Amino acid sequence: MSNYILVEVNVVNRQKQQYVTIKGTKEGLTLHLDDTCSFQELLAEIEAKLASNSNPDDSPLLGVRLKVGNRFLTNKQQEKLRNVIRSKKNFIVEEIESNVITKEQAIQWKEENEIVPVARMVRSGQVLEVKGDLLLIGDVNPGGTVKAGGNIFVLGALRGNAYAGLLGNNEAVIAASLMRPSLLSISETINRAPDLSEQLEGSNEMECAYIDKNEQIIIDRLQLLSHLRPMLTRLERRM
């Protein structure tokens, strides 16, 4: 009598890992791209998935946003991604969002967001400019100018010109112990001394200037700043 040995073989069907997840929004498509696979694997899967989602020739352009997570993409790699997506009918890349920035971008971000303390007097004809927020311990005399990419805080008398929000920040503010400026500018909004005279009469309190909902520069008590700009403090703004 023959003896038979039965060997059971377990076959595990492994599903191929998904490197690209496509989500539709009102604005178009968002592609979430895996940041651990190789770039070539990513390109291949994007091409395969978009080929199966191709639109008819007469369909409108569909915007595509790419979220690449912790993957750093060179300019050449970004262009390859754009070309692959552009080759599909009616798809166009509108944005590539990455959690990774270059050293140069990090330095620029730091400069634009740091508070720069300066202890001096800004005299007539002098210009003091910083990329981030300016904290000036001293006066700005008539004819003197202070400029900042962000906010301006003057622990002293502001009698000259102050330009805040040079990077286009309408939420920037200008504050001073004594507010008697010749000119105030926040982002693209400018007020000169004649336009500010009614707001400045008879006040010896610390004051702040900001752009209100009517896109006008308003001067008010410094105590209101926490309500007007609740996200002003560094801890709250960076969370």
Side-chain angles (χ1 to χ4, degrees):
M1 183 176 180
S2 299
N3 294 325
Y4 294 93
I5 300 175
L6 299 177
V7 179
E8 183 179 355
V9 179
N10 293 321
V11 178
V12 179
N13 294 321
R14 295 184 178 178
Q15 185 177 6
K16 183 181 178 182
Q17 183 177 353
Q18 299 287 321
Y19 296 135
V20 180
T21 304
I22 301 178
K23 293 185 178 180
T25 66
K26 292 186 294 184
E27 292 77 21
L29 292 180
T30 299
L31 272 60
H32 296 264
L33 310 184
D34 187 278
D35 53 16
T36 60
C37 66
S38 72
F39 183 70
Q40 292 304 320
E41 288 176 311
L42 203 59
L43 282 179
E45 185 162 331
I46 289 174
E47 188 164 10
K49 286 204 169 183
L50 290 185
S52 63
N53 283 277
S54 293
N55 297 325
D57 290 329
D58 58 349
S59 61
L61 280 176
L62 188 62
V64 177
R65 290 175 172 81
L66 306 182
K67 295 193 175 184
V68 301
N70 295 327
R71 180 189 296 270
F72 174 74
L73 294 174
T74 64
N75 291 335
K76 187 176 180 180
Q77 288 175 325
Q78 289 188 35
E79 189 58 29
K80 282 187 177 180
L81 282 173
R82 293 179 187 276
N83 288 337
V84 167
I85 294 172
R86 197 181 295 129
S87 67
K88 305 307 172 186
K89 296 177 183 178
N90 306 100
F91 289 136
I92 182 170
V93 176
E94 294 183 342
E95 181 182 7
I96 299 178
E97 181 183 320
S98 173
N99 298 334
V100 183
I101 61 175
T102 63
K103 180 180 178 181
E104 291 75 16
Q105 289 172 323
I107 292 173
Q108 181 181 353
W109 180 89
K110 179 179 181 295
E111 289 176 345
E112 292 177 357
N113 289 277
E114 68 180 346
I115 298 177
V116 181
V118 179
R120 57 170 283 195
M121 178 183 294
V122 181
R123 304 180 186 278
S124 179
Q126 295 180 334
V127 178
L128 173 61
E129 182 173 355
V130 301
K131 293 183 178 180
D133 292 352
L134 172 62
L135 173 60
L136 176 65
I137 305 171
D139 298 335
V140 183
N141 287 349
T145 299
V146 288
K147 297 181 177 182
N151 306 294
I152 294 176
F153 306 101
V154 180
L155 297 185
L158 174 55
R159 294 188 173 92
N161 308 317
Y163 296 80
L166 291 178
L167 299 176
N169 181 13
N170 286 332
E171 295 291 302
V173 300
I174 301 170
S177 300
L178 182 63
M179 185 78 78
R180 293 291 184 274
S182 303
L183 177 149
L184 291 180
S185 173
I186 300 177
S187 188
E188 297 181 356
T189 304
I190 298 177
N191 272 16
R192 301 182 185 276
D195 302 319
L196 298 167
S197 58
E198 292 184 4
Q199 299 187 56
L200 296 171
E201 288 181 358
S203 175
N204 291 314
E205 297 183 32
M206 295 183 68
E207 294 175 306
C208 62
Y210 62 94
I211 296 179
D212 68 359
K213 61 183 179 180
N214 297 318
E215 299 186 356
Q216 300 293 322
I217 293 181
I218 301 297
I219 296 176
D220 218 323
R221 294 180 301 121
L222 186 65
Q223 289 83 348
L224 298 178
L225 195 55
S226 61
H227 300 289
L228 296 168
R229 297 290 186 267
M231 301 298 289
L232 183 63
T233 63
R234 287 295 163 185
L235 178 61
E236 291 173 335
R237 274 203 289 175
R238 301 301 166 217
M239 292 296 287

